[in-house]
Amino acid sequence: MSNARTPLEWTDLDRRAVDTCRVLAMDAVQKVGNGHPGTAMALAPVAYTLFQKKMRHNPADPAWPGRDRFVLSAGHSSITLYTQLFLGGFGLELDDLRALRKWGSKTPGHPEHGHTAGVETTTGPLGQGVANAVGMAMAARRERGLLDPEAEDGESPFDHHIYAICSDGDLEEGVSSEASSLAGHQQLGNLTLIYDDNEISIEGDTDIAFSEDVAKRYEAYGWHVQVLDWTNGGTEYVEDVPALWDALQEAEAVTDRPSMILLRTVIAWPAPNAQGTGASHGSALGADEIAATKQILGFDPEQHFEVPDEVLAHTRALVERGQADEKQWREGFDAWAEANTEGKALLDRLQTRTLPAGWDESLPVFEADPKGVATRKASGGVLAAIAPALPELWGGSADLAESNNTTPKGEPSFIPEERSTTDFQGDRYGRVLHFGIREHAMGSIMNGIALHGGTRVYGGTFLVFSDYMRPAVRLASLMQLPVTYVWTHDSIGLGEDGPTHQPVEHLAALRAIPGLDVVRPADANETVAAWRTILEHGDRPAGLALTRQNVPTYPRGEDGFATTAGVARGGYVLIDAEGGTPDVVLVGTGSEVQLAVEARRLLAEKGVRARVVSMPCREWFDAQDPAYRDSVIPPLVRARVSVEAGVAQGWREVVGDHGRIVSLDHYGASADFATLFQQFGLTAEAVALAAEESIASANG
């Protein structure tokens, strides 16, 4: 582990480097005319201590798997991170700081993962970074369990620490509370959270909205909590870096609990007039205030972006130290690899997210059955079948395991052993995740797991509760993370629980998120093919929308029904019209595909030729070339009908001006699913009638 129980080396050059961070923060925000200088000024010694003294990382290899991770949950203070990446030699230069928040720069307003070297996650909405850090800590433990479970604590090449800085705003957002509660329950001793308790937010003094005892709250969560007051009760401000250093070492030494260091600071220190003000949180300080502050710090007020040569030479030495740390780590890693050839092969796969040869040979095949099976149950069958072949795949549910079918049989739970219950056997390195009733944190924690690297994670809840997850889902899409959402009870078909639990607008709302694949399979075998396709994609999130009720399992490759080969293309001809070019194309998703199949039969009795298209994923279908899309839905066939138990939004572009949309544009009710579909007009007869209307419209 990094620098455990070592004395702090702190010189005048270190102090000068910290003050340089303050100057750069003021100048960068002033140049662009907007931003957040105050927090960066106060946290300069904290960030500097972490990057230059505490964390084990290598600027020359920011993706080194043995590195400690840093999360700036207070992402609005992005310049806090950018100055450290500049000083440490991660690839940013002064021109990048001068371009803060500008078009095309490496220094956007909030740090963006994949855009700037050294940025571990995209932290925009407050609280997300806290939950991401929890996910990273969980992933680090799972990775160690997969690769090196027998090593003594601190002796494995897979031991590393997660550090995060958060603000008042982060801790006011509910997602951080959810995640922190779970972190305490999980006893994540590899996680340290530094809380900048400056009592300032955009509206000024936090007394107007935030007065709880955060230290006691985190103690109640089961965290190890230390309080450092640099204000000394408001009597004198002293940046006690040695005390911070001792606290960091103490946090690292506590291995059975996550740690919080509550640090009381003064925002914008030492600006003579702006310190302690709400204005310094989100506004440039102004030329006069910056000049006055530079004089206090011993910098030339007439210079901008001043970086003394000796400071930069001092801080860029981090590159050499980092390379030396990685070299030392590599020696231990190589010894592990030589003794663990299977583990090394697994790690190579994890690092590239490569699936093993033959992994899909165990995928289940469901026999044709008119009564069928619920797609949620089929999904559970997939997870159980592929678990032995894909040890990197793990996940669970937000307290809905039995409903979501997310627990592969016989797999241990990822909880400390003493947390075991009658139903779930705990193992600190286990596979089954229990997020509790914390959907928002589940989404954000899964992002952290994916960001950590290697493993593939899934998490389940009811589709209607994707509302609680939406900020995290959006960020997963923004970061192109391969997380999988198992959203069951996908329509009014869930039945008696009623409109509060029946999704109506959710499919359309989720499809509106760029970069998210929304997958609603029609039957059990489509569910299998959907899982295969999702796992073959390593560059995006996907959400499976699965039924509670049984749906027919179609005879694949027989009786005119297609195989599931077209599922990966998002839409395909499930069963074609007999006797030539179709008069109408019926497009369905999920449980409503059966309505289109039955409507085809009803129309055939009237001499109308209907093609049935199953479209489990609009995103996959839209990504196909025009020739393929036209082969599925011929442009010359203007009569079209879509059917989905959700709002009509988004289907007009599929069915065209002459098409008809069979949808549900109001809330559901409490009754059995068959009654609901009948009462709300989601029937084969309604689809057939819509087809006749569309044909009449298309024919003028």
Side-chain angles (χ1 to χ4, degrees):
M1 301 295 287
S2 54
N3 298 330
R5 298 295 182 181
T6 57
L8 173 66
E9 296 182 5
W10 193 262
T11 67
D12 286 341
L13 202 51
D14 292 310
R15 180 190 58 77
R16 187 68 168 168
V18 168
D19 289 341
T20 300
C21 296
R22 294 184 166 110
V23 168
L24 292 173
M26 291 188 294
D27 282 346
V29 174
Q30 183 69 19
K31 187 175 190 301
V32 70
N34 56 78
H36 302 79
T39 299
M41 295 169 68
L43 289 183
V46 179
Y48 181 86
T49 300
L50 286 173
F51 271 77
Q52 290 285 331
K53 306 292 183 179
K54 193 74 187 84
M55 291 195 299
R56 183 179 65 178
H57 53 176
N58 180 7
D61 185 8
W64 166 32
R67 73 191 183 282
D68 293 334
R69 269 64 162 183
F70 172 77
V71 174
L72 181 67
S73 192
H76 55 274
S77 185
S78 58
I79 193 64
T80 296
L81 177 55
Y82 297 149
T83 53
Q84 298 308 320
L85 298 180
F86 160 65
L87 290 176
F90 283 81
L92 293 185
E93 298 299 343
L94 270 182
D95 282 346
D96 297 306
L97 301 188
R98 292 188 182 101
L100 177 70
R101 301 169 73 95
K102 296 289 185 65
W103 172 264
S105 76
K106 297 179 182 178
T107 50
H110 289 75
E112 297 178 19
H113 172 69
H115 183 74
T116 309
V119 174
E120 300 280 6
T121 180
T122 300
T123 52
L126 289 170
Q128 290 291 327
V130 173
N132 291 166
V134 172
M136 291 177 186
M138 292 168 66
R141 193 168 89 192
R142 172 66 179 166
E143 179 187 69
R144 191 191 199 280
L146 283 173
L147 301 172
D148 200 19
E150 302 302 325
E152 295 292 328
D153 286 347
E155 298 301 321
S156 171
F158 305 103
D159 286 328
H160 51 267
H161 209 83
I162 317 299
Y163 294 94
I165 288 177
C166 71
S167 63
D168 290 299
D170 290 291
L171 299 191
E172 290 177 47
E173 290 286 1
V175 63
S176 66
S177 298
E178 293 181 24
S180 297
S181 172
L182 185 59
H185 179 81
Q186 286 285 357
Q187 301 175 3
L188 298 176
N190 57 347
L191 171 64
T192 296
L193 179 62
I194 301 171
Y195 164 37
D196 177 29
D197 182 16
N198 62 27
E199 299 182 332
I200 290 292
S201 62
I202 291 175
E203 294 186 358
D205 195 316
T206 54
D207 277 349
I208 60 171
F210 191 50
S211 56
E212 67 195 42
D213 190 325
V214 171
K216 288 183 179 178
R217 169 153 69 102
Y218 272 76
E219 288 172 357
Y221 286 150
W223 287 54
H224 170 249
V225 178
Q226 302 174 80
V227 177
L228 301 180
D229 184 4
W230 282 0
T231 75
N232 290 287
T235 61
E236 180 185 14
Y237 195 72
V238 178
E239 292 179 331
D240 193 345
V241 175
L244 172 65
W245 178 252
D246 290 344
L248 288 169
Q249 294 198 102
E250 178 67 21
E252 192 176 41
V254 176
T255 59
D256 62 346
R257 287 171 289 167
S259 288
M260 166 180 272
I261 299 173
L262 189 155
L263 180 64
R264 294 201 171 99
T265 66
V266 170
I267 195 169
W269 181 264
N273 302 300
Q275 64 177 264
T277 66
S280 70
H281 170 87
S283 302
L285 299 187
D288 291 343
E289 185 73 357
I290 291 174
T293 307
K294 287 180 178 178
Q295 285 185 320
I296 292 171
L297 296 173
F299 282 73
D300 184 351
E302 301 300 320
Q303 287 199 47
H304 304 291
F305 295 92
E306 181 182 357
V307 180
D309 291 341
E310 64 274 16
V311 165
L312 192 60
H314 179 66
T315 60
R316 290 281 171 96
L318 178 61
V319 175
E320 294 179 5
R321 296 196 302 274
Q323 290 173 328
D325 284 344
E326 183 171 352
K327 181 180 178 181
Q328 181 181 13
W329 174 87
R330 184 69 60 182
E331 292 174 358
F333 174 82
D334 289 344
W336 168 84
E338 185 176 349
N340 295 272
T341 54
E342 289 186 8
K344 177 60 165 59
L346 174 58
L347 178 61
D348 290 342
R349 280 206 309 102
L350 297 184
Q351 290 181 327
T352 58
R353 291 197 172 106
T354 302
L355 298 170
W359 73 274
D360 55 352
E361 293 175 358
S362 59
L363 285 170
V365 176
F366 293 86
E367 296 297 324
D369 183 355
K371 294 182 179 179
V373 64
T375 54
R376 63 168 176 159
K377 186 174 181 180
S379 173
V382 171
L383 291 173
I386 63 178
L390 297 179
E392 67 266 37
L393 182 65
W394 62 317
S397 168
D399 197 52
L400 291 167
E402 186 174 346
S403 295
N404 300 148
N405 295 107
T406 49
T407 305
K409 188 175 181 180
E411 295 290 344
S413 293
F414 183 86
I415 49 175
E417 189 172 349
E418 61 267 32
R419 306 289 196 199
S420 298
T421 67
T422 302
D423 299 315
F424 296 99
Q425 182 61 44
D427 182 328
R428 68 192 304 262
Y429 297 138
R431 185 172 200 165
V432 179
L433 288 165
H434 302 278
F435 293 101
I437 308 168
R438 304 181 179 97
E439 290 89 354
H440 195 175
M442 177 175 71
S444 307
I445 287 169
M446 286 197 294
N447 288 350
I449 289 172
L451 286 161
H452 180 273
T455 61
R456 294 289 294 266
V457 67
Y458 61 86
T461 187
F462 291 171
L463 178 59
V464 74
F465 299 138
S466 64
D467 284 341
Y468 283 170
M469 303 176 64
R470 190 176 181 87
V473 174
R474 183 178 187 273
L475 285 168
S477 302
L478 182 63
M479 290 186 276
Q480 301 178 327
L481 302 179
V483 297
T484 303
Y485 312 107
V486 181
W487 289 318
T488 69
H489 299 58
D490 67 337
S491 71
I492 57 169
L494 73 87
E496 292 83 353
D497 276 345
T500 61
H501 282 53
Q502 293 167 358
V504 175
E505 76 280 17
H506 296 73
L507 291 167
L510 290 165
R511 288 180 183 133
I513 298 177
L516 172 67
D517 294 340
V518 181
V519 190
R520 192 165 183 247
D523 73 349
N525 288 308
E526 267 199 16
T527 305
V528 176
W531 262 112
R532 178 194 285 115
T533 305
I534 288 169
L535 290 172
E536 288 173 345
H537 294 163
D539 60 350
R540 72 196 83 162
L544 282 159
L546 305 172
T547 68
R548 177 196 185 196
Q549 75 275 23
N550 288 353
V551 292
T553 304
Y554 300 112
R556 297 293 175 166
E558 301 175 1
D559 301 333
F561 285 90
T563 69
T564 59
V567 172
R569 306 188 82 165
Y572 65 102
V573 179
L574 175 63
I575 185 167
D576 211 348
E578 293 184 3
T581 302
D583 299 312
V584 63
V585 177
L586 311 178
V587 183
T589 74
S591 57
E592 290 75 74
V593 169
Q594 64 183 303
L595 304 181
V597 172
E598 176 62 12
R600 172 185 175 275
R601 185 189 66 79
L602 296 176
L603 290 166
E605 292 177 352
K606 297 182 178 182
V608 177
R609 298 188 298 269
R611 168 183 289 185
V612 175
V613 170
S614 178
M615 192 171 288
C617 182
R618 289 282 305 275
E619 293 77 22
W620 296 346
F621 186 70
D622 291 346
Q624 303 305 310
D625 61 75
Y628 176 78
R629 296 199 305 270
D630 290 348
S631 73
V632 175
I633 305 177
L636 294 178
V637 182
R638 298 187 297 166
R640 305 170 189 174
V641 176
S642 69
V643 54
E644 184 172 69
V647 297
Q649 182 176 332
W651 285 106
R652 179 58 58 190
E653 63 192 53
V654 174
V655 301
D657 293 341
H658 297 286
R660 296 294 184 267
I661 302 170
V662 179
S663 59
L664 185 70
D665 292 279
H666 54 78
Y667 296 111
S670 181
D672 66 274
F673 77 88
T675 297
L676 291 172
F677 274 80
Q678 183 69 39
Q679 290 294 323
F680 291 143
L682 290 163
T683 64
E685 291 77 11
V687 175
L689 178 60
E692 294 181 78
E693 292 177 355
S694 182
I695 291 170
S697 175
N699 292 338

